[in-house]
Amino acid sequence: MQYNVCVVGLGYVGLPVALRAAEKGHAVYGFDINEERVKNLSEQSFTSKDIDVQKQIDIYGKKITYSTNPDIIKNANVVIVCVPTPVNKDRKPNLNPLKAACTTINNHRGAGTLIIIESTIFPGTVEEVLKPLFTGNPGQDYFLAHCPERIDIGNKDFTLATIPRVVGGITEECAEKAEAFYKTIIDAPITILQSIKAVETTKIVENTFRDVNIALVNELARSFDNMNIDMKEVLKGAATKPFAFLAHYPGCGVGGHCIAIDPYYLIERSEANGFHHRFLKMARQINEEMPLYTIMRAEEALMKRGKTINNTQIAVLGLAYKAEIDDMRESPALKIIQHLKERGATINIYDPYIPQQSTTPTLQEALQQSDCIIIATDHKEFKAITPQQLKQAHVSIVIDGRNCLNKKQFTNAGIIYRGIGS
Ligand SMILES: NC(=O)c1ccc[n+]([C@@H]2O[C@H](COP(=O)([O-])OP(=O)(O)OC[C@H]3O[C@@H](n4cnc5c(N)ncnc54)[C@H](O)[C@@H]3O)[C@@H](O)[C@H]2O)c1
């Protein structure tokens, strides 16, 4: 079946969804409040650092009608909502973009439109917060469903088209309609859950699972650094067990719009319902402390060279929260830079994916200007750094926040190497 689809919010999630719908032959409209983004997409001057998204843009980008005018929504019989769901400074969920988007959709939708929320939300959001924003009878005048997005930006093995999905609706028919639509764009199983609350919670639980497991290895890494046990080797060993162990890896912090945020959605929601999540809060705290721990590793290493952070030239390599992408939301690199600034370092920042925020145009220059480097993102370019390269640039200390270099090679070359648990 061919649908008229309007994607609301054309960011990291929404644009790939719109492109995929266009690929599958639907008539696609894209609505966003960001004028510059809409202009660039319309003029086909928008580029993505993700090669696969760029390929999709090149082929299907021109088939989509983009606009900042919400009137465009009335063309659609399926509206997919992919707007941000951030937290405020106090770590409380901020549903304002989502509420604004739903109000706009309600004011401009045609009769019988299926509205699907893909944004990540806390349990109860659709029923209690969003449904009241829509006028008319659900299941008659409009259909409302939730299908959380699971895309892992930059992941070549699992893509939007091949990741299984879970769906729920405020009525059975809403869920079935959403399932029927996703069957046209997803080549993987789609599972309907009985309650929309279970669907909302599924997504949050998936990301909370990641957060607490990363917190566990981060805590172990800090303990093992004290005992001179190499966490990398321990994980290499533990990962050989073919059941009941799932390797997670320590690092200088957890970033991005999902794992670093979603647990707060559950923590807050549970708190409002009288339950206090000690474990989840502690995991967040441990992961949020990792940038500072990375600084502590640098302080200790510098001391060995008779230096302090104050007045030392330090290169921060990587701004993105993970490898080969340009997204720096909640990135630990930002906290590392802040800590370095507070301690009086001279900082040289380089990220090949984010040149506009880099203070140094090339890796080579960043190395040449620095005594110490901190790898905050394991981009391929940084994983290829050699001891010879550092020696030539007179860099004598490596703080490997992603454990992506070979410790032995650097140590053998007389360079002080500190990883996280390595
Ligand atoms: N980024 C990821 O890897 C990822 C993965 C899975 C799920 N999610 C979830 O998907 C949702 C979107 O995340 P994202 O990373 O794509 O965000 P994003 O910031 O990249 O994109 C959101 C877009 O929505 C637009 N927007 C904001 N308010 C709007 C409104 N009222 N009307 C129309 N457009 C509006 C913004 O201008 C922006 O272009 C979030 O809930 C996030 O948690 C993200």
Side-chain angles (χ1 to χ4, degrees):
M1 183 171 167
Q2 204 248 351
Y3 292 88
N4 294 334
V5 179
C6 181
V7 177
V8 174
L10 299 166
Y12 286 99
V13 164
L15 183 59
V17 172
L19 291 163
R20 175 67 178 166
E23 179 187 353
K24 297 307 276 185
H26 301 304
V28 184
Y29 303 88
F31 169 69
D32 201 296
I33 52 170
N34 181 331
E35 287 183 3
E36 194 187 342
R37 176 161 288 235
V38 167
K39 183 171 176 283
N40 292 340
L41 284 165
S42 303
E43 292 172 355
Q44 268 130 62
S45 59
F46 180 85
T47 54
S48 171
K49 293 279 189 321
D50 186 313
I51 303 164
D52 294 327
V53 174
Q54 187 57 50
K55 270 191 209 152
Q56 291 284 90
I57 292 173
D58 293 342
I59 307 171
Y60 304 107
K62 47 190 165 298
K63 294 195 169 183
I64 301 170
T65 307
Y66 308 95
S67 183
T68 53
N69 184 343
D71 279 345
I72 202 172
I73 294 167
K74 68 170 179 286
N75 295 313
N77 48 16
V78 176
V79 177
I80 304 175
V81 186
C82 306
V83 299
T85 44
V87 287
N88 294 323
K89 278 210 173 87
D90 60 2
R91 301 296 188 204
K92 301 255 195 288
N94 176 356
L95 290 181
N96 290 339
L98 186 57
K99 288 199 269 185
C102 287
T103 304
T104 305
I105 293 163
N106 184 56
N107 292 341
H108 294 88
R109 69 177 168 82
T113 306
L114 167 64
I115 301 133
I116 305 167
I117 312 296
E118 282 212 3
S119 301
T120 305
I121 46 187
F122 57 69
T125 305
V126 174
E127 293 276 2
E128 295 162 36
V129 184
L130 304 183
K131 193 174 128 193
L133 302 174
F134 291 96
T135 47
N137 288 328
Q140 278 177 6
D141 300 317
Y142 69 94
F143 298 86
L144 186 55
H146 179 43
C147 180
E149 182 54 70
R150 283 173 162 168
I151 196 169
D152 181 19
I153 311 293
N155 189 330
K156 305 289 168 219
D157 300 325
F158 295 97
T159 65
L160 186 139
T162 60
I163 300 171
R165 303 289 284 265
V166 289
V167 183
I170 52 171
T171 66
E172 228 170 273
E173 199 186 353
C174 293
E176 285 164 5
K177 277 181 176 283
E179 182 199 30
F181 167 71
Y182 280 102
K183 277 190 172 162
T184 69
I185 64 164
I186 304 290
D187 305 326
I190 295 154
T191 304
I192 294 184
L193 299 188
Q194 279 177 8
S195 82
I196 206 161
K197 228 181 207 179
V199 177
E200 294 167 322
T201 315
T202 297
K203 170 73 189 177
I204 301 261
V205 166
E206 288 163 12
N207 283 344
T208 301
F209 173 87
R210 292 269 299 145
D211 199 46
V212 296
N213 277 287
I214 295 169
L216 170 66
V217 286
N218 277 338
E219 180 166 284
L220 291 174
R222 292 182 64 166
S223 160
F224 295 173
D225 277 335
N226 275 352
M227 292 191 275
N228 205 16
I229 298 169
D230 194 328
M231 183 76 187
K232 238 175 150 176
E233 282 294 292
V234 174
L235 287 170
K236 189 174 159 190
T240 62
K241 187 177 176 185
F243 57 93
F245 184 81
L246 182 57
H248 285 73
Y249 296 92
C252 61
V254 172
H257 189 48
C258 293
I259 301 172
I261 287 186
D262 297 352
Y264 289 119
Y265 269 60
L266 187 52
I267 288 167
E268 186 56 27
R269 187 59 176 173
S270 301
E271 205 90 47
N273 284 280
F275 185 82
H276 184 65
H277 273 294
R278 283 176 298 163
F279 189 46
L280 270 53
K281 277 190 173 175
M282 186 168 289
R284 277 286 68 234
Q285 189 188 338
I286 290 169
N287 287 337
E288 288 201 352
E289 279 170 9
M290 292 314 287
L292 184 57
Y293 181 66
T294 309
I295 297 293
M296 286 158 64
R297 296 289 274 164
E299 271 169 341
E300 180 270 326
L302 282 162
M303 212 146 70
K304 285 230 150 49
R305 293 264 187 257
K307 293 183 178 185
T308 59
I309 287 180
N310 188 28
N311 288 329
T312 296
Q313 292 263 357
I314 300 181
V316 175
L317 303 182
L319 282 169
Y321 78 89
K322 69 174 180 178
E324 321 311 335
I325 63 164
D326 63 354
D327 188 350
M328 45 190 249
R329 287 177 293 179
E330 316 295 324
S331 175
L334 304 176
K335 285 194 193 153
I336 288 172
I337 291 168
Q338 189 191 328
H339 287 306
L340 289 173
K341 274 188 186 154
E342 285 164 7
R343 286 162 180 73
T346 306
I347 311 165
N348 305 305
I349 302 166
Y350 173 67
D351 188 312
Y353 290 84
I354 314 177
Q356 68 280 15
Q357 299 287 332
S358 300
T359 60
T360 315
T362 63
L363 173 61
Q364 202 46 37
E365 280 188 51
L367 298 183
Q368 262 155 6
Q369 288 166 18
S370 309
D371 304 317
C372 164
I373 63 169
I374 299 179
I375 299 179
T377 315
D378 49 351
H379 290 315
K380 275 195 203 109
E381 191 178 358
F382 306 149
K383 282 158 82 171
I385 291 173
T386 62
Q388 294 71 26
Q389 218 177 338
L390 295 192
K391 287 238 132 191
Q392 273 165 13
H394 303 290
V395 174
S396 65
I397 297 169
V398 179
I399 310 300
D400 185 356
R402 295 296 170 192
N403 295 333
C404 63
L405 299 178
N406 183 322
K407 175 180 179 175
K408 212 169 167 186
Q409 280 177 3
F410 287 81
T411 311
N412 287 348
I415 293 164
I416 296 181
Y417 175 99
R418 297 284 181 270
I420 307 294
S422 173

